[in-house]
Amino acid sequence: MSDDMTDAAGKRVYEVDEVVLGWKPAESADAALEWVLQRIDRLAAPLTLLTVLDAKKSYDDEQRAQIQRDAEAVAGEIEKKHPSITVTTRIVEGDPPQVLAGLTSPEKLVVVGTDRRRGLSLRYAFSFGARLAARANGPVALIPHGESELGTGVVVGVDGTPASLAAARVAARIALARGGEELVIVHVWQEPTPWQDAYLPPDDGFLESLQKVHQDVLDESVAQFAEDWPELVITKKLVHGLAPWGLLDQAARGSLLVVGTRSSRGIQRFFLGSVSHTVVLNLEGPTIVVPNK
């Protein structure tokens, strides 16, 4: 017997050992909690409500006790509505992004709520979500609160790199786990910048040839997933423009965006790639960042 966590052959397609929700009494955490509760039964994984007390702030005994009571009250309500799910509360102290990143792994899904950023965002500007995702060793779901009504379809960007293909595999499994929701595979491309004109061949058909190359990247990615999961409903989109903004535009029409980010070492591990970083700083809706570890 199959359900929306299995494929046509009855094989489970999206499993996690644990869902860790960064929780505190705040609107952003409430939005993330609601997002988790809409999916926790299908994930069939234990849920941990993790409250990280910022080590830079001071909390007296009564404040800590109240936070514990609030967390236990939320856990109790979850268990009433989802009796098959084991819910645990934990309160620790430290730097919140660093603590949560230390808990990430390919077998866990870490979920946090975020505030929406307004105004201009610099490439190397920081946010809680960007700091967490840059250090993560597994998928991180960032859920902005106060979002508008979501569309349909799991959107994922591909560019032929291992990082994007890892993200696409997660997106495909999520689409299947959500009852066969449409998987929208997007490849965003643009022509070379003006300063590169001197290196372009004197061929009037060059841009058409370049577009075909990008179309091939998209077609090959789609073909791979269509072969692996023939029951998937896949839509492919070749988008012209800057990669992060092309993805965000598509994400605004979907229910979830999945993006990949490359592994880094040294000081670079504190930054996401330029595309995923811009996406995280300008969330249009629920977004999962998948590191290529």
Side-chain angles (χ1 to χ4, degrees):
M1 182 177 68
S2 69
D3 55 26
D4 52 353
M5 282 299 298
T6 62
D7 61 15
K11 179 181 178 182
R12 291 179 66 83
V13 294
Y14 187 62
E15 294 184 88
V16 292
D17 293 339
E18 180 184 9
V19 177
V20 178
L21 172 66
W23 185 86
K24 61 181 179 180
E27 289 183 349
S28 58
D30 290 342
L33 175 60
E34 180 63 26
W35 188 86
V36 168
L37 294 183
Q38 291 173 2
R39 296 155 178 81
I40 193 66
D41 290 321
R42 293 198 299 269
L43 290 172
L47 172 63
T48 298
L49 300 183
L50 178 67
T51 302
V52 183
L53 301 180
D54 195 330
K56 297 178 182 178
K57 302 178 181 179
S58 60
Y59 299 85
D60 59 34
D61 291 343
E62 177 54 32
Q63 288 175 315
R64 292 173 181 269
Q66 185 60 54
I67 292 172
Q68 180 68 55
R69 289 192 292 268
D70 290 342
E72 290 175 352
V74 171
E77 289 298 316
I78 295 173
E79 290 176 329
K80 288 180 183 178
K81 297 178 181 179
H82 305 269
S84 64
I85 303 300
T86 301
V87 185
T88 305
T89 62
R90 287 181 58 195
I91 297 179
V92 298
E93 187 172 316
D95 176 57
Q98 185 173 351
V99 171
L100 284 162
L103 296 174
T104 58
S105 76
E107 293 76 33
K108 293 182 182 180
L109 176 63
V110 172
V111 184
V112 297
T114 69
D115 294 317
R116 287 180 176 275
R117 292 172 60 92
R118 300 301 180 191
L120 296 176
S121 298
L122 298 177
R123 176 180 176 185
Y124 292 117
F126 285 96
S127 70
F128 181 94
R131 291 177 61 200
L132 169 58
R135 294 166 170 79
N137 293 303
V140 173
L142 307 174
I143 314 300
H145 79 279
E147 62 195 31
S148 58
E149 185 175 349
L150 299 177
T152 60
V154 178
V155 179
V156 62
V158 296
D159 59 8
T161 63
S164 73
L165 294 177
R169 282 191 290 272
V170 170
R173 294 184 178 109
I174 291 174
L176 286 173
R178 296 173 70 167
E181 187 171 3
E182 177 188 22
L183 176 66
V184 183
I185 300 181
V186 181
H187 178 66
V188 186
W189 74 283
Q190 66 177 138
E191 56 271 82
T193 52
W195 63 266
Q196 293 177 308
D197 283 349
Y199 301 97
L200 297 182
D203 182 356
D204 292 339
F206 174 73
L207 290 181
E208 288 76 7
S209 299
L210 182 60
Q211 180 173 343
K212 184 180 183 305
V213 169
H214 289 285
Q215 183 68 57
D216 289 343
V217 170
L218 176 60
D219 291 344
E220 289 171 4
S221 298
V222 170
Q224 175 180 332
F225 291 101
E227 180 178 355
D228 291 343
W229 292 293
E231 63 272 43
L232 267 175
V233 177
I234 301 177
T235 296
K236 59 183 179 181
K237 293 190 177 182
L238 185 67
V239 178
H240 178 263
L242 295 173
W245 305 112
L247 289 176
L248 287 167
D249 179 62
Q250 296 299 317
R253 309 171 195 180
S255 63
L256 176 69
L257 173 64
V258 182
V259 294
T261 183
R262 65 181 183 274
S263 300
S264 299
R265 297 181 180 179
I267 190 64
Q268 290 183 340
R269 69 187 177 89
F270 294 105
F271 302 97
L272 292 168
S274 59
V275 173
S276 52
H277 193 95
T278 300
V279 166
V280 167
L281 291 180
N282 298 275
L283 297 178
E284 289 288 347
T287 300
I288 295 181
V289 181
V290 181
N292 179 35
K293 300 293 185 179

